[in-house]
Amino acid sequence: MVLDTPAEQAFDDLVFVAAKACGVPIALITLLDADRQWFKARYGLDVQETEIEHSVCRIEIDRAEMLEIADLTADRRTDRNPLVTGARHFRAYAGAPLVLRSGAVVGRLCVIDTAPRPEGLSELERSMLRALARLASENLELRRIAKVSERQTELQVALVEIGEIIRNSGDAGQMALATAAVVGRVLTADRAGLGLVDDAVEVLDVERDWTAPGVLSVAGRHALDEYHGLQAPLSSGDPLVVFDSLADERTLPNVALAMRNGVRALVDVPVRDPGRTTALFFVHSARPRYWLAEEIAFLRSVADRLEAGVARHRSEEQQRIVNGEIAHRLKNTLTMVQAIASQTLRSATDRESVYAFERRLMALSVAHDALLQNSWAQADLASIATNAIEAIGFMDRVSMNGPPVALGAQAALSFSLIVHELLTNACKYGALKGDSGKVSLTWEIKSDGDDAGLMIKWRERGGPLVIPPARRGFGSKLISIGLVGTGGVDIRYDPEGFEADLRAPVRHLAKG
């Protein structure tokens, strides 16, 4: 994580002191990569890096010990090195290992002479070189820790973004694609995506994947038996992490396919439903890449979040199917009840009562439909009112205004019946009996001490002169019961127009 970073005075000071302490013209802090050696700091040399094959520092690097070569031309390991045989004229070398706290050896602090030094470094020079290498290692460790912390912060921010995507997504495919785009960006990958796995873990279906510009998509159906070494980790739920597909025995059988798809490094993370793999989240790089531990942990978290998101979408889809079936059966039941009532009451002389009964059944059906849109959990007050009014047909003469209010199942059914009765009475006796009358339906939430209450106001104007009824029918009794049976109803037969106020504590409105 320090490779290709700008020069820093702390490291430049170390190579300067090393050169002067050992009496040499060249000193370097060398970091070793897969295909090159890169100089974090250099004194007496005008290049920033060389090919790894030209590196003297890599010799016996795994031993983590001081390496000294008194005459590079006389050592078979270096006698043909272009840095020795060429114009740079390297002749003597001494390098102390750079060891991180984890024990990883990442390079050397080395000093180089352009003349052989048969006697090598003195014991004091060796001690100073080792001490300077320890200082360089500690500085590298501090920068590594700072970089890891910075990287972890970036990944945490990305996880928050992915959480928002999953939470707000209404489509599983779009959710997976948007998540892959975030992962591809934060990991600077070439391709990322989600593929669904069949129960037998034999087929991988990738609907859409995110790709960097110019990178081919791998969307489509893939037979997993073509990818040797992939089925086992998928079945067990273990991530498959490959740094270089040309050097990993698990991917070598598929190397031609990997190269054709531009996959040099990859991470495959199974998405698990308890007990089985349901999908695979994959990230591809077209170049060899060392995947950091925090990046693997990040991808595990992404897979967990996607599993939860996919499960939620699956559950919602199943709930929609169930709700649809319930709605169909309940509509059939209400229709049957209506038909039985019509047949039973066909000889009744009071046809108006039969008609009122049928219309009340319809009002219940309207509220039921609104509740089903939210899985029978709640329905919006305005939607209930709109559906009830549209069912009778006076929407152009009824104005409505009020904030969003969620009604539970009981309150929604109660409110739908009340609106139906108020509207029916307005059509028979009130403002909607003629052609010029209007109705206003408004509501608001009022605070009353520690308890908030809903206030609903029904106002009629422009109809015939209002005369209080001589007796109360079923509709009037239903209205007087109030929302969810809480009472709180004030009815006024004002000569200018009928008025009704309904009040109910907000805490009662959520009842199921």
Side-chain angles (χ1 to χ4, degrees):
M1 301 182 74
V2 182
L3 289 173
D4 300 315
T5 55
E8 296 178 63
Q9 191 64 50
F11 293 103
D12 291 342
D13 290 345
L14 288 172
V15 292
F16 173 77
V17 173
K20 298 308 177 184
C22 297
V24 297
I26 299 170
L28 307 167
I29 290 177
T30 302
L31 301 178
L32 302 174
D33 200 6
D35 56 357
R36 59 175 176 154
Q37 63 173 356
W38 181 78
F39 308 129
K40 174 58 184 171
R42 49 199 167 92
Y43 176 81
L45 192 67
D46 58 357
V47 296
Q48 189 70 62
E49 63 181 63
T50 71
E51 297 176 18
I52 194 65
E53 290 79 9
H54 299 167
S55 174
V56 179
C57 289
R58 69 171 179 158
I59 297 173
E60 298 181 356
I61 190 65
D62 294 334
R63 296 179 61 185
E65 296 176 355
M66 175 81 77
L67 173 67
E68 280 192 79
I69 302 177
D71 188 348
L72 295 169
T73 63
D75 192 302
R76 60 181 179 78
R77 298 171 297 180
T78 58
D79 58 1
R80 296 185 180 180
N81 191 312
L83 298 175
V84 176
T85 61
R88 299 201 180 274
H89 208 261
F90 288 1
R91 286 294 179 266
Y93 172 94
L98 302 174
V99 185
L100 301 182
R101 295 175 189 174
S102 63
V105 183
V106 295
R108 293 186 189 274
L109 170 59
C110 65
V111 291
I112 300 169
D113 207 337
T114 53
R117 295 183 62 157
E119 72 287 354
L121 297 181
S122 68
E123 194 56 42
L124 177 60
E125 289 170 338
R126 291 191 190 94
S127 296
M128 293 181 70
L129 190 60
R130 289 191 183 98
L132 291 170
R134 287 192 294 272
L135 286 173
S137 300
E138 187 63 19
N139 274 321
L140 288 171
E141 183 70 27
L142 292 175
R143 279 149 183 77
R144 186 193 70 81
I145 292 172
K147 285 289 185 181
V148 167
S149 177
E150 181 181 336
R151 184 59 167 159
Q152 287 176 334
T153 299
E154 292 174 350
L155 297 177
Q156 285 299 321
V157 170
L159 278 179
V160 171
E161 184 179 354
I162 288 169
E164 287 296 316
I165 289 171
I166 292 174
R167 184 162 44 254
N168 297 326
S169 175
D171 176 77
Q174 189 59 39
M175 174 189 73
L177 182 63
T179 298
V182 174
V183 170
R185 184 194 74 229
V186 76
L187 295 185
T188 60
D190 292 286
R191 184 187 296 114
L194 181 73
L196 300 182
V197 178
D198 67 332
D199 291 340
V201 194
E202 294 178 347
V203 176
L204 177 69
D205 278 310
V206 181
E207 181 180 349
R208 297 173 66 188
D209 55 357
W210 172 89
T211 60
V215 176
L216 294 176
S217 168
V218 293
R221 173 162 289 191
H222 302 267
L224 291 176
D225 57 7
E226 295 181 7
Y227 299 84
H228 305 283
L230 180 58
Q231 281 177 297
L234 261 181
S235 299
S236 64
D238 297 325
L240 177 65
V241 182
V242 175
F243 303 132
D244 187 350
S245 57
L246 294 181
D248 194 306
E249 61 182 13
R250 297 170 297 178
T251 53
L252 280 176
N254 312 307
V255 69
L257 184 60
M259 292 302 98
R260 188 163 63 248
N261 290 330
V263 184
R264 190 71 183 271
L266 64 93
V267 179
D268 289 338
V269 183
V271 176
R272 301 279 287 176
D273 202 10
R276 69 185 188 94
T277 297
T278 58
L280 170 71
F281 191 80
F282 58 87
V283 182
H284 295 163
S285 172
R287 297 167 299 283
R289 171 169 180 162
Y290 180 79
W291 302 98
L292 301 172
E294 52 267 27
E295 293 174 337
I296 305 300
F298 166 72
L299 289 172
R300 281 180 178 271
S301 295
V302 171
D304 290 342
R305 282 164 170 75
L306 276 175
E307 188 279 325
V310 169
R312 175 174 62 83
H313 281 287
R314 190 184 300 119
S315 174
E316 289 174 352
E317 180 60 29
Q318 291 172 347
Q319 188 63 54
R320 280 193 290 271
I321 294 172
V322 171
N323 285 348
E325 182 63 22
I326 292 173
H328 176 70
R329 294 189 181 190
L330 188 52
K331 280 182 178 294
N332 286 345
T333 300
L334 289 173
T335 301
M336 186 177 296
V337 169
Q338 195 169 22
I340 292 172
S342 296
Q343 287 296 316
T344 303
L345 300 173
R346 63 182 177 179
S347 59
T349 56
D350 186 1
R351 299 310 301 170
E352 184 64 26
S353 297
V354 175
Y355 176 74
F357 174 70
E358 291 175 345
R359 301 296 285 185
R360 285 165 183 151
L361 281 179
M362 184 179 67
L364 287 175
S365 179
V366 165
H368 158 265
D369 288 342
L371 285 165
L372 271 178
Q373 293 177 7
N374 290 289
S375 300
W376 202 258
Q378 60 182 24
D380 182 61
L381 183 150
S383 298
I384 294 286
T386 299
N387 292 343
I389 296 168
E390 285 182 341
I392 295 181
F394 283 88
M395 198 66 212
D396 59 330
R397 296 172 64 184
V398 179
S399 64
M400 294 190 301
N401 186 49
V405 176
L407 301 179
Q410 187 177 342
L413 294 173
S414 173
F415 181 63
S416 182
L417 285 172
I418 288 173
V419 171
H420 171 78
E421 296 301 330
L422 289 170
L423 197 64
T424 299
N425 288 340
C427 292
K428 293 168 64 176
Y429 314 111
L432 301 181
K433 182 177 182 181
D435 296 330
S436 59
K438 300 284 185 180
V439 173
S440 167
L441 175 60
T442 62
W443 60 92
E444 60 182 329
I445 301 293
K446 288 190 172 183
S447 295
D448 184 12
D450 296 330
D451 197 5
L454 172 67
M455 168 68 81
I456 300 174
K457 297 180 179 180
W458 178 277
R459 300 287 186 268
E460 298 181 22
R461 291 293 183 270
L465 182 68
V466 175
I467 301 174
R471 65 179 184 86
R472 291 201 311 164
F474 174 78
S476 296
K477 293 177 182 178
L478 184 64
I479 294 169
S480 67
I481 292 173
L483 289 170
V484 292
T486 59
V489 179
D490 182 16
I491 294 175
R492 297 180 296 279
Y493 294 95
D494 188 299
E496 297 297 321
F498 174 79
E499 297 179 354
D501 294 337
L502 297 92
R503 296 175 299 279
V506 170
R507 67 178 185 277
H508 291 166
L509 301 179
K511 290 182 179 181

